[in-house]
């Protein structure tokens, strides 16, 4: 009876996966959203039946995806299935929300690396160079509308310099992309599990998030390395800029938790919490001082436990 139930569940989840994949392939706007839902059927199946039967469901979806969606279907099945297996097993083991995020992020990083290698050596398509070329073409088209020597030309030159940094910032882009993708998938899975009244461990309130203190020392090390002026294109240069950017983002998140903690203590409206975070993020390009202030709060918090002092102060 149990074996029959497992087979039926596997067939249902495979069917749901194929529907999501077809939406992803044929409805671009909605497909952007459903892409993050692709691991969901395998995750749900593994929570109920374990990872071994989950591997069989993955194999079935892999074959069906290849038959229905061709090479694109196979790629989707591989990437989403791998993530679904790992995250599903972590959910089944009642791992913490951060544990699931870490597992999903590591799989996401590995998936992106495999995808880049596959595209470069089998499809002869260099995603990094293609992206850089597309941006340069857009800048060239924009330059035609501006006269030489004006402030607009100076901005375009700055854009060219930033585009030239794309190959060097690939590691950072892969890591951040994998974390954000895993976080969004985890949020969507949480909504479904809550709706189905299935037990799972949630993230603590954002105001209670805290990174290890060691991250502060890593940031100081990265900051020192930036002042040494490593040669552009060298391994040390690539390590330095990626480490500095990633740890800066970590400190910004830490700083936002300080603001949320203070806002909660002062009983500010929840909408104001979100507005502040959105304001900091969306003004970072033209008003970076706000981002630097939030990052400074993160540094103080990791170094001197600012949130703890806020919460204990009467």
């Amino acid at each position: 009876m149990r074996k029959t139930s497992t087979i039926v569940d596997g067939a249902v989840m495979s069917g749901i996966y194929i529907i999501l994949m077809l939406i992803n392939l044929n409805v671009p706007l909605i497909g952007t959203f459903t892409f993050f839902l692709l691991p969901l059927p395998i995750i749900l199946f593994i929570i109920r039946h374990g990872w071994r039967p989950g591997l069989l469901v993955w194999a079935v979806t892999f074959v069906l995806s290849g038959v229905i969606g061709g090479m694109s279907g196979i790629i989707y099945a591989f990437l989403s299935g791998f993530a679904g297996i790992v995250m599903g097993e972590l959910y089944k083991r009642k791992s913490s929300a951060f544990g699931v995020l870490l597992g999903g992020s590591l799989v996401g990083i590995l998936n992106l690396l495999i995808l880049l290698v596959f595209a470069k050596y089998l499809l002869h398509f260099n995603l990094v160079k293609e992206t850089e070329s597309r941006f340069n073409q857009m800048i060239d088209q924009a330059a035609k509308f501006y006269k030489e020597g004006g402030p607009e030309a100076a901005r375009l030159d700055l854009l060219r310099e930033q585009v030239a940094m794309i190959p060097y910032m690939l590691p950072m882009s892969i890591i951040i992309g994998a974390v954000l993708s895993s976080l969004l998938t985890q949020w969507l899975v949480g909504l479904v599990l809550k709706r189905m009244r299935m037990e799972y461990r949630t993230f603590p309130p954002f105001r209670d998030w805290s990174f290890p203190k060691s991250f502060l020392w890593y940031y100081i090390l990265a900051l020192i390395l930036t002042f040494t002026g490593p040669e552009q294109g060298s391994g040390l240069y690539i390590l330095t800029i990626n480490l500095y950017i990633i740890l800066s983002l970590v400190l910004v998140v830490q700083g936002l938790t300080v603001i949320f903690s203070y806002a909660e203590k002062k009983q500010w409206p929840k909408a104001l919490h979100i507005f502040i975070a959105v304001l900091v993020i969306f003004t970072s390009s033209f008003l970076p001082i706000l981002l630097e202030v939030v990052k400074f709060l993160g540094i103080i918090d990791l170094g001197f436990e600012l949130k703890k002092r806020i919460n204990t102060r009467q």
Side-chain angles (χ1 to χ4, degrees), residues 10 18 20 24 53 61 79 81 90 103 127 144 165 169 185 201-202 243 251:
I18 295 300
L20 291 173
N24 200 301
T61 58
L79 300 180
L90 289 171
L127 180 61
K144 295 177 181 178
M165 295 292 293
M169 294 192 294
T185 296
R201 297 179 66 179
T202 60
L243 191 62
L251 291 174

Side-chain angles (χ1 to χ4, degrees), residues 105 108-110 112-113 116 128 165-179 234-247 249:
S105 299
I109 291 171
L110 184 58
L112 288 173
L113 290 174
L116 287 173
V128 177
M165 295 292 293
I166 289 176
Y168 304 132
M169 294 192 294
L170 179 62
M172 178 268 298
S173 302
I174 289 175
I175 292 172
I176 293 176
V179 171
S234 65
L236 182 60
Y237 177 81
I238 295 172
L239 173 66
T240 300
I241 61 171
N242 283 277
L243 191 62
Y244 178 78
I245 293 173
I246 290 173
L247 291 172
L249 290 175

Side-chain angles (χ1 to χ4, degrees), residues 133-174:
S133 176
R134 290 290 177 86
F135 275 115
N136 281 324
Q137 288 175 11
M138 292 169 61
I139 294 173
D140 290 339
Q141 290 175 359
K144 295 177 181 178
F145 294 96
Y146 300 115
K147 296 180 179 179
E148 295 183 2
E152 293 83 5
R155 293 194 190 99
L156 292 177
D157 290 337
L158 180 60
L159 281 175
R160 291 185 193 278
E161 293 177 6
Q162 293 174 342
V163 169
M165 295 292 293
I166 289 176
Y168 304 132
M169 294 192 294
L170 179 62
M172 178 268 298
S173 302
I174 289 175

